Amino acid sequence: MAVHDHPRRHSGFHFPSLRRTGAVSASGEVTTVAATATSAYALAGLRLLTGFVFLWAFLDKTFGFGYATPSGKGWIDGGSPTKGFLSGVAAGPMESTFHDWAGQGWADWLFMLGLLGIGLALIAGVGLRITAVAGTLMMAFMWIAEWPPAKHLSDGSVSMSTNPFADYHLIYAVVMIALAAAGAGTVWGLGKVWARLPFVSRNRWLI
C-alpha cells in the first residue's frame, strides 16, 4: 500500500486576529496617553493665561500702567480701583447698591486682594478649588454690574449688550471651575507639591 506524504495540518488555535487586536490596542493606548498629555498641557496653558489676566488687572490698577488705568491714577497714587466701574453701573437690580459701594475702602481692598489672590493661585497652580469659588463669585458680581440682559440702560439709552446671558465674565467663571475640576495645577505648576503639604492633605478643599 502506497503511503502518500501529505502536509501536516494543525488543529490548534491560530492567533492572527489577536495579534492585530493587540497591536491596535497598543496603538490606542499610545494615542490615549498622547491625548491626555496634550490635554494636560493645554489646560496648563489656559490656567497660566487666565491667571495672567487677573494678575495684570491687579498690577495695572495698582500702578497705572496706562492701559485700563491711566498713568498717575493707580491705586498706589490714591486712585480707587472700584469707583470708576461701580459708579458707572447703569442697569440691573443692584445699580444703586453698586453706586453706594463705589470707591469704598473695603470694596477697593476686597476687589484688589481678589484679583491678586486669584491671579497668583492660577499661575502657581495651587488652591484651585477655593480660587474657582472666589473667582466665580467675583465674576458673578461683575456680571450683575454690567447686566447683559438689559437692552437699555436706566437713562433709556441702548446698552450695547450683544448677548443676554453669556459674556466674558461667565466664560472666566466656567474656565476656573473646569481648571479646578481637572486638577490643572500639576503641569507647569506647584499643584503636586501643594497637595503634599500636611495642612492641605488634611483639608482637601484647599487643593
Side-chain angles (χ1 to χ4, degrees):
M1 180 176 64
V3 178
H4 300 282
D5 191 10
H6 297 285
R8 296 179 63 187
R9 297 181 179 178
H10 298 277
S11 60
F13 293 104
H14 297 274
F15 300 101
S17 61
L18 291 179
R19 283 196 294 270
R20 286 196 295 270
T21 302
V24 172
S25 177
S27 176
E29 290 176 1
V30 171
T31 301
T32 301
V33 171
T36 301
T38 301
S39 299
Y41 285 114
L43 286 172
L46 179 62
R47 190 196 81 237
L48 291 172
L49 287 173
T50 306
F52 183 70
V53 168
F54 283 87
L55 183 59
W56 176 259
F58 169 81
L59 294 174
D60 185 54
K61 292 179 184 301
T62 298
F63 300 104
F65 289 145
Y67 288 88
T69 304
S71 299
K73 293 189 176 181
W75 195 25
I76 198 172
D77 300 308
S80 171
T82 63
K83 187 174 182 179
F85 176 67
L86 293 182
S87 62
V89 173
M94 294 183 63
E95 179 180 350
S96 60
T97 301
F98 285 134
H99 290 171
D100 292 337
W101 291 356
Q104 295 290 331
W106 65 267
D108 289 343
W109 276 96
L110 193 61
F111 179 59
M112 294 298 280
L113 289 176
L115 289 177
L116 178 62
I118 293 169
L120 291 178
L122 287 172
I123 290 175
V126 301
L128 295 185
R129 293 181 180 178
I130 192 170
T131 297
V133 173
T136 298
L137 185 61
M138 177 184 287
M139 292 299 101
F141 274 111
M142 296 182 74
W143 186 92
I144 295 172
E146 293 200 0
W147 200 244
K151 293 182 180 180
H152 296 85
L153 302 179
S154 55
D155 62 0
S157 61
V158 179
S159 69
M160 303 301 290
S161 176
T162 59
N163 190 298
F165 177 67
D167 75 341
Y168 64 98
H169 298 109
L170 178 63
I171 294 173
Y172 281 137
V174 172
V175 166
M176 287 185 282
I177 293 171
L179 291 173
T186 58
V187 176
W188 297 337
L190 302 174
K192 290 182 180 179
V193 176
W194 176 260
R196 287 197 295 265
L197 295 177
F199 71 95
V200 176
S201 62
R202 291 193 300 268
N203 300 279
R204 306 301 292 175
W205 58 273
L206 291 173
I207 293 179

